[in-house]
């Protein structure tokens, strides 16, 4: 039997898991053809598969001495060195394999494994993503999905948002996985990158219902409500039955003027999640837009029964009371909303409430006192709760600008302090 026949016989024995027989055959080939790199490689693989790691490393090294550009030998030695916990050596080998073959998907995946063991999580995620993209190009869907799973496992949980939900902003899916990271990226303003990543995920798996839901939320953040509705519809077709789909689709429909469709979605969401205050606020906003102010007030009140510190519910109920010309109730709700926003140091929404109070001051002068109290509360927070400090600042303003109103002095001191903070 010549050495070619021995080589193929060795491959067959290795396939049958007769590793000892395969090693013997490859050894005979090497005796006859000492520069046969494939024989060294496959004898190394037989050693590796039989648990003999050091002889495997030796054979891969011999193959590389003969051919320094033997990509498979670098990759195989990287695997063996990884088994020996020689992480720097494994990383060197897999980097060399990638350098020699830029589309070697398995090598990128192996690099991600090594980097993860080294604690280089960001680098590992990048490597697994490159591997997944290459597997996708090569139509290897299974390995692509495996890489996606590894990425999800490595993603850290997102920090919870501290800013309260605006009445026209879609909420975030609060699952600690890859999609949460993409939504967090969109929340920070990088919506185009989030869409690109989700397009990539859906290219890898067009049946990923959660990815459609996530992309729908991002479309909402971008103001692309028709695209958002299409994605929410697709998620529902794929049996992703979750209140968050109906809640977000309802918001998108409302913003496009489809009030009846929005109400239907919010009703369905409440059947699935009856203790979600955000859904009641969202449905209340639609009722208010339809002129059903009493229905809106009922929903905002229900939201406040669930969460008594929901500033948005107070604020929106205040708007509804204003539209009913029940100014005393409106002022009370605005005051409560402003107090909560002040406690949260959400000054944008706080100022929005003050603006709403300003609009009804002329008709209801008693609201001046309410606004003065709110400004005083804000100033007190800005000086750390020490009113004597605030009073000294007010006295200084009174000396500089005599004859102005108490509210005017409060406004000027607050503006000065906020200006100092911004510098």
């Amino acid at each position: 039997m010549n050495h070619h026949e021995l080589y193929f016989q060795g491959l067959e024995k290795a396939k049958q898991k007769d590793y000892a027989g395969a090693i013997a055959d490859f050894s005979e080939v090497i005796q006859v053809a000492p520069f046969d790199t494939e024989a060294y490689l496959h004898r190394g693989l037989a050693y590796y598969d039989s648990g003999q790691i050091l002889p495997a490393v030796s054979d891969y090294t011999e193959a590389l001495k003969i051919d320094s550009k033997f990509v498979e030998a670098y990759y195989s030695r990287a695997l063996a060195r990884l088994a020996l916990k020689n992480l720097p050596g494994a990383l060197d080998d897999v980097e060399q394999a990638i350098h020699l073959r830029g589309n070697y998907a398995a090598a990128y995946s192996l690099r991600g494994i090594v980097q993860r063991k080294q604690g280089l999580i960001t680098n590992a995620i990048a490597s697994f993503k490159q591997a997944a993209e290459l597997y996708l190009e090569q139509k290897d869907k299974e390995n692509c999905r495996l890489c996606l799973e590894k990425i999800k496992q490595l993603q850290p949980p997102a920090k919870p948002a501290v800013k309260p939900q605006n009445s026209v902003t879609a909420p975030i899916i609060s699952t600690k996985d890859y999609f949460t990271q993409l939504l967090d990226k969109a929340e920070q303003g990088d919506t185009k990158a989030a869409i690109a990543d989700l397009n990539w995920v859906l290219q890898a798996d067009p049946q990923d219902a959660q990815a459609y839901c996530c992309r729908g939320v991002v479309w909402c953040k971008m103001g692309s409500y028709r695209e958002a509705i299409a994605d929410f519809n697709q998620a529902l077709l794929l049996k992703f039955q979750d209140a968050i789909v109906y809640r977000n689709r309802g918001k998108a429909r409302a913003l496009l003027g489809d009030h009846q469709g929005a109400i239907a979605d919010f009703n369905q969401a409440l059947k699935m999640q009856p203790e979600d205050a955000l859904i009641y606020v969202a449905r209340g906003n639609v009722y208010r837009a339809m002129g059903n102010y009493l229905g809106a007030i009922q929903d905002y009140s229900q939201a406040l029964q669930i969460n008594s510190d929901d500033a948005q519910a107070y604020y929106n109920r205040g708007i509804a009371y204003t539209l009913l010309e029940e100014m005393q109730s409106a002022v009370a709700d605005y005051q409560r909303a402003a107090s909560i926003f002040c406690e949260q140091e959400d000054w944008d929404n706080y100022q929005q409430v003050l603006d709403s109070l300003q609009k009804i001051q002329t008709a209801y002068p008693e609201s001046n006192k309410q606004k003065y109290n709110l400004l005083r509360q804000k100033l007190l927070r800005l000086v750390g709760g020490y009113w004597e400090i605030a009073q000294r600042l007010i006295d200084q303003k009174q000396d500089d600008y005599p004859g102005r109103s108490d509210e005017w002095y409060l406004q000027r001191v607050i503006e000065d302090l906020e200006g100092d903070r911004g510098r």
Side-chain angles (χ1 to χ4, degrees):
M1 185 180 297
N2 61 41
H3 70 280
H4 293 294
E5 292 171 330
L6 277 170
Y7 174 78
F8 287 109
Q9 180 177 281
L11 291 178
E12 184 59 32
K13 287 180 179 178
K15 186 177 179 180
Q16 299 299 322
K17 299 186 179 180
D18 177 11
Y19 300 123
I23 289 168
D25 286 344
F26 292 132
S27 295
E28 287 192 45
V29 172
I30 289 169
Q31 286 183 351
V32 177
F35 298 104
D36 190 329
T37 55
E38 292 290 341
Y40 277 110
L41 173 68
H42 286 283
R43 189 173 71 174
L45 292 173
Y47 276 129
Y48 180 87
D49 289 335
S50 64
Q52 302 179 70
I53 309 301
L54 288 174
V57 171
S58 179
D59 271 355
Y60 302 141
T61 302
E62 288 301 319
L64 289 167
K65 287 179 182 178
I66 298 166
D67 180 3
S68 62
K69 296 184 179 180
F70 194 2
V71 177
E72 286 76 9
Y74 281 114
Y75 177 81
S76 299
R77 193 170 69 177
L79 275 174
R81 285 176 163 172
L82 178 61
L84 293 170
K85 295 184 171 50
N86 178 6
L87 299 183
L91 188 60
D92 287 344
D93 278 346
V94 78
E95 292 283 13
Q96 189 62 35
I98 291 170
H99 174 71
L100 293 168
R101 187 183 299 168
N103 65 344
Y104 199 170
Y108 283 103
S109 180
L110 179 57
R111 185 174 70 177
I113 292 170
V114 175
Q115 289 168 332
R116 181 180 62 190
K117 288 183 176 293
Q118 291 180 314
L120 304 173
I121 303 303
T122 302
N123 293 349
I125 290 171
S127 291
F128 286 130
K129 184 172 181 181
Q130 287 175 296
E133 290 172 346
L134 289 168
Y135 280 129
L136 184 62
E137 291 174 7
Q138 297 160 13
K139 303 188 184 304
D140 187 344
K141 182 176 178 180
E142 182 57 31
N143 275 317
C144 179
R145 283 187 61 81
L146 289 174
C147 288
L148 288 175
E149 287 302 317
K150 289 173 183 174
I151 291 171
K152 292 178 187 179
Q153 292 166 9
L154 290 173
Q155 290 284 358
K159 294 181 179 179
V162 295
K163 187 174 182 179
Q165 288 289 338
N166 187 281
S167 59
V168 298
T169 303
I172 295 177
I173 299 173
S174 56
T175 53
K176 295 181 180 180
D177 58 10
Y178 182 56
F179 297 117
T180 301
Q181 303 306 308
L182 296 182
L183 288 167
D184 188 50
K185 182 185 292 186
E187 188 71 20
Q188 294 169 10
D190 197 359
T191 50
K192 289 184 179 179
I195 289 290
D197 283 345
L198 285 161
N199 289 343
W200 171 67
V201 171
L202 286 167
Q203 188 179 6
D205 183 7
Q207 303 302 307
D208 193 329
Q210 192 172 1
Y212 283 109
C213 180
C214 182
R215 193 171 67 177
V217 173
V218 180
W219 283 130
C220 280
K221 291 182 182 297
M222 298 174 70
S224 301
Y225 302 116
R226 296 188 189 282
E227 289 84 350
I229 290 170
D231 273 350
F232 294 135
N233 290 344
Q234 188 62 34
L236 292 170
L237 284 174
L238 294 169
K239 310 300 182 186
F240 190 69
Q241 293 293 322
D242 193 297
I244 196 167
V245 180
Y246 290 103
R247 184 174 67 188
N248 281 283
R249 191 176 69 174
K251 288 192 173 186
R253 283 176 162 176
L255 289 163
L256 288 174
D258 180 10
H259 295 149
Q260 293 300 333
I263 293 294
D265 274 346
F266 293 139
N267 290 343
Q268 183 61 35
L270 285 169
K271 287 181 183 178
M272 303 170 74
Q273 204 165 320
E275 295 301 310
D276 190 335
L278 289 174
I279 302 173
Y280 283 106
V281 172
R283 191 175 68 176
N285 290 342
V286 178
Y287 280 139
R288 196 179 76 221
M290 295 169 67
N292 183 0
Y293 305 136
L294 292 177
I297 289 170
Q298 185 176 356
D299 269 354
Y300 298 137
S301 299
Q302 184 62 40
L304 289 167
Q305 286 185 20
I306 297 169
N307 178 12
S308 60
D309 290 325
D310 190 334
Q312 287 291 347
Y314 281 112
Y315 177 60
N316 284 291
R317 192 172 69 175
I319 294 173
Y321 277 130
T322 301
L323 293 168
L324 285 173
E325 298 185 25
E326 296 183 16
M327 299 306 181
Q328 187 173 357
S329 296
V331 168
D333 274 351
Y334 288 149
Q335 182 183 24
R336 181 63 180 137
S339 296
I340 296 171
F341 285 134
C342 186
E343 290 169 6
Q344 297 169 343
E345 298 188 8
D346 183 351
W347 304 126
D348 289 340
N349 278 317
Y350 177 86
Q351 187 60 49
Q352 188 176 26
V353 176
L354 292 189
D355 291 343
S356 296
L357 280 170
Q358 182 72 39
K359 292 177 182 177
I360 59 176
Q361 276 185 332
T362 303
Y364 290 84
E366 66 268 19
S367 64
N368 287 329
K369 184 177 180 181
Q370 304 283 4
K371 184 174 181 181
Y372 173 82
N373 289 336
L374 290 173
L375 288 169
R376 190 176 187 277
Q377 182 181 13
K378 182 176 181 179
L379 176 55
L380 190 59
R381 286 188 61 82
L382 289 173
V383 295
Y386 296 99
W387 182 249
E388 60 271 21
I389 297 175
Q391 189 62 58
R392 284 201 299 271
L393 294 172
I394 292 171
D395 291 344
Q396 184 178 342
K397 285 292 179 187
Q398 289 174 335
D399 290 340
D400 294 340
Y401 304 96
R404 306 297 175 91
S405 68
D406 291 341
E407 181 182 313
W408 188 90
Y409 293 122
L410 285 172
Q411 287 274 27
R412 299 293 84 74
V413 172
I414 288 171
E415 289 172 4
D416 288 347
L417 289 174
E418 288 181 332
D420 291 339
R421 279 188 170 190
R423 286 196 285 271

